[in-house]
Amino acid sequence: MLLLRAGIITERQLADAIEIHKVTGSPLGKVLVDLGYATQGGILSVMAKQIGIPYIDFSVKRPDANAIALVPRELAIRYTLMPIEIEDDHLVVAMADPQNVLALDDLRIITGYEIAPAISTKDSIVAAVDEFYKVATTMSEDDLDAGGDTAELTLEDMTEITDDAPVVKLVNYIINRAVADRSSDIHIEPQEKDLRVRYRIDGVLHEMMRSPKSTQQAMISRFKIMADMDIAETRKPQDGHTALTIGGHAMDFRVSTLPTVYGERVVLRILRKDNIMLRLQDLGFLPSALERFESSFRKPYGAILVTGPTGSGKSTTLYAAINVLNTPAKHILTAEDPVEYRLAGVNQVQTNVKAGLTFARALRSFLRCSPDIILVGEIRDQDTAKIAIESALTGHLVLSTLHTNDAAGAITRLTEMGVEPFLVASAVDCVLAQRLGRRLCSECKEEYKPSKQLALDAGFAEDARPERLWRPKGCKKCGGTGYRGRVGIHEVMMISEEIGDLTIKEATAEAIREVAMEQGMLTLKQDGLEKCRQGQTSIEEVSRVIV
């Protein structure tokens, strides 16, 4: 039997199913499914190989919006089918009955394409039709209320877009699908022969669809109009934003364009106003690390630095700390570029380099306003660094970010920027280095026993090797990736007297790091491995985000 040869079932399971089949007369496949020996999908995948057509698993394969647009929803429901993609002038369609000649003929006539049938389970197709057609067809202009003022747009600009209604629907689909998939960015990338759309989900880019080259100009113009950009300017980068309400949730979209050899590239960064994590407990701190960090920012003065690469969650951590400190008794001022989230009760300032409002100038002005707490979006230059350090020394609590690889590197970075070592040693109280790793999907993560060599290669100590770890598997909930959501990986270095002395002596970052570890600091690697031990992430993910 095919299922036996494919390893789907064992000989004993087949024998049990045959006995029940003889007694009840039920189809053998149904008996195997009822007994839990096989899934309907598993049986169909074997059958698909036998008859030479693809099997579609919707947890792995996402239907293309261009294919969905070709087939009316009513037809998909009537024949229990789901359009998948356009491939070599053929429309690939997942069907519960791929031998339904009437359905194939209707599809060929309506779409104008030759049909390449594939097979999937009836339940999976029904669920897919409900999910993907709902996104593609129920989203109207009322669902995307552009926050920008369109009064300044010319009639010609508006006509160019509104005359091409399918492009408007496609843009709506791309945005709504990205929000549904928990994306942080949408990348619209012109290629030589088509237009690629990618989503950044849990910090990793995934290609979601390809659109014909003919849609490129209209689609990019649509995005630029939504962000109140000049659609006639295609030679220079532009930045804009729009506020949208999707499914009752207010969201900001930061939109950037960049000219490339194949046309303008568009990136939309999705900022969920009402869904930002602002509790430190939600950011993945180990109890010991959270205690060290919280004891630092609750002091009345001093500088606290959060370091890490772009996209490592630095701003979110600072917002979470500010949220704890934000009381009517505190005067809090922030200088940010840009102000991504509005915090009630906090005075937030948007820097504007063109107008001369830099981080350094904003900080100088802050000091005349008698603040208790100052947040500086990023220390980028010597002036900002010096003023921030001096502010920490004159009775203010200063929180800021810095681009370094680890916590110890922040100390040497400040001295390299021209801040006197003795000022750094006196002002800085704590440095937090962090990364964001993907969190294992709770529904499908797979437990395994690691070999000794694997554990040692990962970085576990000989006497602390874990008995069990977890790895990604993939299911419908996580889109087949094995990961859902992200978890912070942290390194909290307190500036002790010994580290202060090393700072004054201009010791290397490695020397500072060794002393910090002796005083109880867990490195990024150690913190990540502990989260592997707890089943929050995998050793492959820790290796990916930590060099």
Side-chain angles (χ1 to χ4, degrees):
M1 187 180 182
L2 294 174
L3 295 177
L4 189 61
R5 288 201 296 270
I8 301 292
I9 60 173
T10 64
E11 291 185 3
R12 178 62 187 170
Q13 289 171 339
L14 177 60
D16 291 345
I18 289 173
E19 288 297 320
I20 296 175
H21 164 68
K22 290 178 179 177
V23 173
T24 64
S26 295
L28 190 58
K30 184 178 185 303
V31 173
L32 287 167
V33 173
D34 291 343
L35 290 173
Y37 291 162
T39 64
Q40 192 175 2
I43 294 172
L44 277 182
S45 66
V46 174
M47 291 174 58
K49 288 180 182 178
Q50 179 67 16
I51 61 178
I53 66 172
Y55 169 74
I56 302 298
D57 180 352
F58 289 100
S59 68
V60 177
K61 184 71 174 177
R62 289 184 173 278
D64 190 319
N66 294 304
I68 296 173
L70 291 171
V71 181
R73 178 190 175 103
E74 295 74 19
L75 192 69
I77 293 173
R78 185 193 313 161
Y79 291 126
T80 315
L81 57 84
M82 183 70 207
I84 303 299
E85 62 187 352
I86 300 168
E87 188 178 79
D88 299 330
D89 296 327
H90 283 69
L91 177 64
V92 180
V93 181
M95 307 176 68
D97 179 10
Q99 295 180 330
N100 187 331
V101 178
L102 183 61
L104 293 172
D105 286 343
D106 282 356
L107 283 171
R108 191 178 298 110
I109 293 168
I110 289 171
T111 65
Y113 283 90
E114 289 298 318
I115 308 302
I119 193 168
S120 191
T121 66
K122 180 179 179 180
D123 290 345
S124 296
I125 292 173
V126 170
V129 169
D130 182 61
E131 178 183 358
F132 293 103
Y133 272 95
K134 182 178 180 181
V135 170
T137 61
T138 65
M139 189 167 184
S140 66
E141 289 296 286
D142 294 330
D143 295 321
L144 283 174
D145 297 316
D149 182 9
T150 59
E152 296 181 5
L153 298 174
T154 67
L155 179 60
E156 182 182 353
D157 292 340
M158 292 302 292
T159 302
E160 180 182 351
I161 298 302
T162 54
D163 280 353
D164 198 0
V167 170
V168 174
K169 291 182 179 180
L170 183 57
V171 167
N172 291 348
Y173 172 83
I174 289 170
I175 293 174
N176 198 62
R177 184 73 258 162
V179 172
D181 285 350
R182 304 173 298 106
S183 306
S184 59
D185 308 317
I186 305 172
H187 295 252
I188 312 297
E189 302 168 324
Q191 306 293 301
E192 183 179 4
K193 297 180 179 179
D194 56 15
L195 191 68
R196 180 172 67 173
V197 179
R198 294 194 292 173
Y199 296 163
R200 188 180 296 278
I201 303 172
D202 296 333
V204 177
L205 282 170
H206 299 268
E207 183 175 319
M208 305 310 293
M209 62 175 280
R210 298 249 177 179
S211 186
K213 193 73 173 177
S214 58
T215 66
Q216 177 176 313
Q217 187 168 352
M219 191 189 299
I220 291 173
S221 294
R222 174 62 178 167
F223 281 117
K224 290 170 75 173
I225 285 177
M226 290 173 66
D228 200 18
M229 294 177 178
D230 181 1
I231 66 169
E233 179 57 74
T234 60
R235 298 168 299 173
K236 296 179 182 178
Q238 294 188 66
D239 293 299
H241 77 278
T242 185
L244 308 177
T245 301
I246 300 176
H249 298 283
M251 297 185 182
D252 258 345
F253 289 77
R254 303 285 176 183
V255 186
S256 299
T257 66
L258 181 69
T260 71
V261 293
Y262 295 124
E264 286 184 284
R265 183 182 190 275
V266 181
V267 176
L268 292 83
R269 185 178 183 195
I270 305 172
L271 305 173
R272 292 165 170 80
K273 293 181 180 180
D274 55 357
N275 196 32
I276 182 174
M277 291 193 306
L278 291 179
R279 294 196 315 153
L280 283 166
Q281 297 92 320
D282 296 331
L283 302 183
F285 281 93
L286 293 175
S288 59
L290 179 58
E291 183 180 352
R292 288 160 68 92
F293 181 55
E294 195 163 358
S295 68
S296 181
F297 71 70
R298 287 190 180 277
K299 293 179 180 178
Y301 57 86
I304 298 170
L305 303 175
V306 181
T307 77
T310 301
S312 60
K314 301 186 296 296
S315 297
T316 301
T317 299
L318 288 181
Y319 278 132
I322 288 292
N323 198 45
V324 174
L325 299 170
N326 187 13
T327 66
K330 298 289 185 182
H331 179 199
I332 303 175
L333 285 169
T334 77
E336 305 171 61
D337 181 24
V339 176
E340 294 182 344
Y341 299 101
R342 275 64 171 177
L343 301 177
V346 177
N347 301 285
Q348 296 172 272
V349 174
Q350 167 78 57
T351 61
N352 187 335
V353 176
K354 290 182 180 179
L357 183 57
T358 61
F359 280 120
R361 179 166 290 187
L363 272 175
R364 289 192 184 96
S365 301
F366 285 0
L367 297 178
R368 294 192 289 271
C369 298
S370 186
D372 299 301
I373 300 167
I374 297 172
L375 186 150
V376 186
E378 184 183 344
I379 294 177
R380 296 176 178 172
D381 53 55
Q382 185 183 65
D383 283 348
T384 307
K386 285 184 175 180
I387 300 168
I389 293 298
E390 289 168 3
S391 301
L393 289 170
T394 54
H396 304 89
L397 180 64
V398 178
L399 299 93
S400 188
T401 69
L402 200 63
H403 284 283
T404 62
N405 290 328
D406 59 11
I411 302 299
T412 56
R413 174 70 179 137
L414 287 174
T415 58
E416 289 169 1
M417 293 175 76
V419 183
E420 293 293 340
F422 71 90
L423 293 178
V424 176
S426 302
V428 179
D429 189 73
C430 171
V431 182
L432 165 67
Q434 72 175 55
R435 302 288 189 275
L436 286 178
R438 290 181 293 174
R439 189 187 295 272
L440 286 168
C441 175
S442 59
E443 296 293 319
C444 67
K445 65 180 181 181
E446 186 176 62
E447 182 181 328
Y448 70 101
K449 184 175 181 179
S451 66
K452 177 180 178 180
Q453 192 58 47
L454 177 66
L456 294 177
D457 290 345
F460 287 101
E462 173 71 41
D463 57 348
R465 288 190 291 112
E467 290 295 321
R468 58 179 184 169
L469 289 173
W470 286 261
R471 58 191 170 201
K473 184 178 181 182
C475 65
K476 186 173 183 180
K477 184 176 180 181
C478 62
T481 64
Y483 297 96
R484 184 175 175 84
R486 290 195 282 180
V487 60
I489 299 172
H490 306 95
E491 179 177 284
V492 184
M493 184 178 79
M494 309 299 293
I495 308 303
S496 62
E497 186 176 336
E498 292 81 1
I499 292 177
D501 290 340
L502 288 173
T503 303
I504 294 170
K505 294 174 183 176
E506 299 188 41
T508 64
E510 186 59 38
I512 294 172
R513 176 189 177 90
E514 288 178 4
V515 172
M517 291 174 64
E518 291 171 1
Q519 295 176 349
M521 179 188 80
L522 287 180
T523 65
L524 286 167
K525 185 82 167 182
Q526 290 169 334
D527 189 271
L529 291 177
E530 182 58 32
K531 281 159 183 154
C532 292
R533 190 191 300 273
Q534 295 176 358
Q536 296 187 54
T537 189
S538 66
I539 57 175
E540 293 83 8
E541 186 65 10
V542 171
S543 299
R544 184 183 70 86
V545 299
I546 300 170
V547 179

